[in-house]
């Protein structure tokens, strides 16, 4: 299993929290990720996903921008 790393190892490698890595795994944003029982395994050569999935969904600030 040397070709895989743990969530903790990926978090340290990418400079993010283990929870953020778990979320990326759950959302399917890491290529080749797999789940063994309750543990995520991540390919050693997997790249950190880029791009921000959070988008402005029309909050109160958005409403004032389009006021006529």
């Amino acid at each position: 299993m040397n070709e895989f790393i743990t969530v903790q190892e990926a978090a340290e490698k990418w400079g993010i929290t283990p929870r953020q890595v778990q979320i990326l795994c759950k959302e399917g944003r890491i290529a080749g990720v797999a789940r063994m029982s309750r543990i995520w395994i991540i390919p050693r050569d997997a790249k950190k996903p880029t791009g921000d999935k959070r988008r402005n969904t029309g909050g109160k600030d958005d409403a004032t921008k389009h006021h006529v």
Side-chain angles (χ1 to χ4, degrees), residues 2-3 5 10 14-18 22-23 29 32-33 36-40 44 48 60 65-66:
N2 284 338
E3 64 270 4
I5 59 175
W14 296 338
I16 60 177
T17 67
Q22 291 172 339
I23 291 167
R29 297 184 57 203
V33 71
M36 293 181 61
S37 185
R38 295 176 57 204
I39 299 169
W40 289 104
R44 185 169 299 284
K48 178 182 175 184
K60 74 177 189 177
K65 291 178 188 175
H66 300 292

Side-chain angles (χ1 to χ4, degrees), residues 52-68:
D52 189 3
K53 279 197 65 168
R54 289 177 276 184
R55 294 184 182 105
N56 188 347
T57 57
K60 74 177 189 177
D61 291 337
D62 193 40
T64 59
K65 291 178 188 175
H66 300 292
H67 188 276
V68 180

